[in-house]
Structure formats: structure tokens, C-alpha cells
Amino acid sequence: MVLDNRSEVRKVLLITLLLNLFVMGLKAVVGFSTGSLSLQADALHSVTDSANNVLGLIASRFSSPQPDRDHPYGHQKFEALGALGIAAFLGIACFEILQGGIERLFQGLTPINISVPELWLLLIVLGVNIFVTFYERHVGKRVGSAILIADAQHTMSDVWVTITVLVGLIGVWQGRVLNFPQLQWLDVILAFPVALLVFSSGWNVLKDNLPWLVDEMAIAPEAIQSIVMEVPGVINCHDIASRGLLGRQVFIEMHMIVNAKDVETAHQITEAVEHRLEERFSPVRVVIHVEPPNYQSDQISFEQETT
């Protein structure tokens, strides 16, 4: 039985959407009032945060773990698709930041006027981002939500982006106070590491979700075989395949040789195997093809054919 935690996921996404809109507004106001390129880029990054929350709400709406006629394996891959959408948004944000930084390098500097109250507003923004990151990550791991974990990773990149921007703006402010205008370049220079942080976050989201979408092995076949061989009546198991995500939903298929002369005994053995695997890897769905005692095979899993 797979628990449906979508209502809790939607609640978290709605809360973080409101917080991200608040953060985005503060960054945009301060960024355009001061003329800071790095802060405007950070505000653009926050636009993707809000878009990600909306995308997550849509993905969560369609990601029921319960199977139906049209989707007999459930709908949970919609969450992974939503996470890939987050990676795409991060890629767009990275491109926009780099483009803005290159244009500023060739077009020349625009004076930045930052005040102490505006720096305090950015500290509030940083605090909100840190709260959102840990809140989403905590709930995402507890309920096993790919979209919440991916969004928390995205927001964590926003934390580092805001720290980088804040350090640069403090330097610009100090340069203005000390009459050292060369520090104005800090704002443009720091836009580039900001872009790299955004790209790194998107890459991690992509790397975490692609294996699920392409049905990469979820459990080592040797680990499955060792559990199955502990069940009395099992002679051997082979052609073992698994997919899904541990802790969310795993599908296991195998061929199993059993020491049984009738269907009822073979059924009892397969039931015992399924029970062992459910205890170890729940939630899991197991499909077993039973074979007679005289059948032989040493192929534990599927190997790539060599030509």
C-alpha cells in the first residue's frame, strides 16, 4: 500500500510559494532601486522559485501513487517530470544571469547606490530562504516527495546566491563610503559565480531524477537474490529486474525455480518470497515467474550483449 501524501506536499508548496513571492518582491525592489545587476539576477532566480512552486502544485495534482486502468504503475513519475521542469527553469535563469553580466562588462558600469536599510532587507530575504530550504527538505524526506526535495535544493542554491550577492553589495557600499569606486566591479564579477551556483543546482536536480524516469536499477539483483534464497523451497532465482525509487515505490520482477510438485505449494513459496521482499523494500510490487525444479539458469540479472 503506497501512502498518498499529496495533500501535505501541496500545503508545503503553497506556503513556500507565498514566501517566495515575498522574497522576489523585496529583491526586485532593492535591485532596481540600486541598479545592482547581481541582485536583479537574484530576483530573476526567485522568479523561477515561484514558477517551480506552481509547477510542483500541478505535478502533485497528477502524481497519485495509486494505479488505475490507464496508469497501472501509478502516476508518481509526474513528480519527476516536475523536478525536471525545475532543472529547466534553473538553466534559463543561468543563461539570463550570464547574458546580463557579459552585457554589463562591455557596456560599462552603472553606479550602484545601496543603503544600510536595503542591506537589512536582504538579510531578511536570506533568513526566509534558509527557512524555506530546511522546511521543504524536512517534509520532502519525511513524505518521500521528489518535487519537495528538488525544490529545497533549488532554494538552497538561492541561499548561496543571496549570500554571494550580499557580500558583493556590502563591498560596494564600503567602497562608496570609503570613496573607492573600483569596488563597483564586485557587483558584475559576482554575477558569474551566481550563475555557476544556479547551474550546479539544476544539474543536481537533473541527476537525481533521470534514473527514475529511465527505469534505472533500483536494487542490486544480488541483494534481492540473497533475500529470496533464504525462503524455504526456493532452489534458485534469476532474470531479476527492479525499477522505481526505494522508499517511494519499487517494482521487482524475477524468474524463480521452486521445489514444488503442485501449484498450491509453488504459490505458498511465492507468497513467502513476496512477504520477505515487502518487509525489506516496502512499498514494493513483485511479479514472479515460477519454474520447475529441473530448470537451470545462472543469469542473475540482465547483462549487456557483446558484439
Side-chain angles (χ1 to χ4, degrees):
M1 178 74 178
V2 184
L3 295 178
D4 190 348
N5 296 309
R6 288 181 297 156
S7 60
E8 189 165 3
V9 171
R10 285 194 292 268
K11 174 185 172 184
V12 174
L13 287 172
L14 282 170
I15 292 172
T16 54
L17 173 60
L18 294 174
L19 291 173
N20 283 330
L21 288 172
F22 169 73
V23 163
M24 180 185 67
L26 277 182
K27 288 179 181 178
V29 169
V30 177
F32 285 104
S33 67
T34 60
S36 167
L37 174 64
S38 60
L39 190 51
Q40 290 172 26
D42 197 10
L44 177 63
H45 189 210
S46 293
V47 171
T48 68
D49 285 330
S50 301
N52 294 339
N53 294 142
V54 174
L55 180 63
L57 287 167
I58 295 172
S60 178
R61 168 67 178 82
F62 294 102
S63 63
S64 170
Q66 305 305 331
D68 58 28
R69 179 182 175 86
D70 294 328
H71 300 87
Y73 295 98
H75 311 72
Q76 290 177 305
K77 285 188 178 180
F78 280 105
E79 271 211 19
L81 287 173
L84 292 187
I86 290 177
F89 277 125
L90 288 169
I92 294 170
C94 176
F95 174 78
E96 293 292 336
I97 294 168
L98 288 173
Q99 185 182 46
I102 292 170
E103 287 178 355
R104 188 69 65 89
L105 283 175
F106 287 100
Q107 294 175 1
L109 286 176
T110 300
I112 299 170
N113 297 309
I114 187 80
S115 64
V116 174
E118 288 167 331
L119 290 174
W120 277 107
L121 285 176
L122 293 181
L123 283 174
I124 294 173
V125 164
L126 180 61
V128 171
N129 281 338
I130 291 172
F131 168 78
V132 168
T133 297
F134 285 96
Y135 175 52
E136 279 193 305
R137 182 182 296 166
H138 172 73
V139 178
K141 288 184 176 180
R142 179 166 57 82
V143 304
S145 171
I147 198 75
L148 286 184
I149 295 172
D151 200 42
Q153 197 161 6
H154 181 189
T155 309
M156 189 66 219
S157 76
D158 211 24
V159 169
W160 289 111
V161 167
T162 302
I163 290 174
T164 303
V165 170
L166 189 56
V167 169
L169 290 177
I170 290 173
V172 169
W173 172 70
Q174 285 284 358
R176 185 167 59 86
V177 171
L178 300 174
N179 195 23
F180 194 60
Q182 287 83 352
L183 287 176
Q184 292 276 337
W185 281 102
L186 271 175
D187 182 63
V188 177
I189 292 170
L190 289 176
F192 292 96
V194 165
L196 291 176
L197 287 170
V198 173
F199 177 81
S200 174
S201 179
W203 173 253
N204 287 332
V205 170
L206 189 68
K207 186 173 61 175
D208 290 342
N209 286 277
L210 270 182
W212 188 12
L213 287 172
V214 299
D215 290 333
E216 186 176 290
M217 176 187 69
I219 306 164
E222 293 80 8
I224 295 174
Q225 186 189 50
S226 67
I227 293 172
V228 173
M229 294 301 294
E230 293 175 355
V231 178
V234 175
I235 297 175
N236 188 21
C237 64
H238 54 276
D239 290 348
I240 302 169
S242 65
R243 62 186 178 89
L245 281 180
L246 279 172
R248 285 185 54 74
Q249 179 67 73
V250 175
F251 299 91
I252 297 175
E253 300 173 7
M254 72 179 74
H255 288 214
M256 190 168 69
I257 305 171
V258 296
N259 186 16
K261 296 182 179 180
D262 56 86
V263 174
E264 184 177 354
T265 303
H267 175 71
Q268 290 173 352
I269 295 171
T270 58
E271 287 282 307
V273 168
E274 289 174 4
H275 180 69
R276 290 280 185 97
L277 293 173
E278 285 169 2
E279 282 184 337
R280 179 65 180 82
F281 303 115
S282 181
V284 62
R285 283 168 59 181
V286 185
V287 176
I288 300 174
H289 176 82
V290 177
E291 292 169 337
N294 59 352
Y295 189 90
Q296 294 183 356
S297 177
D298 295 325
Q299 184 172 318
I300 296 178
S301 186
F302 299 91
E303 302 293 338
Q304 184 177 358
E305 294 183 1
T306 57
T307 57

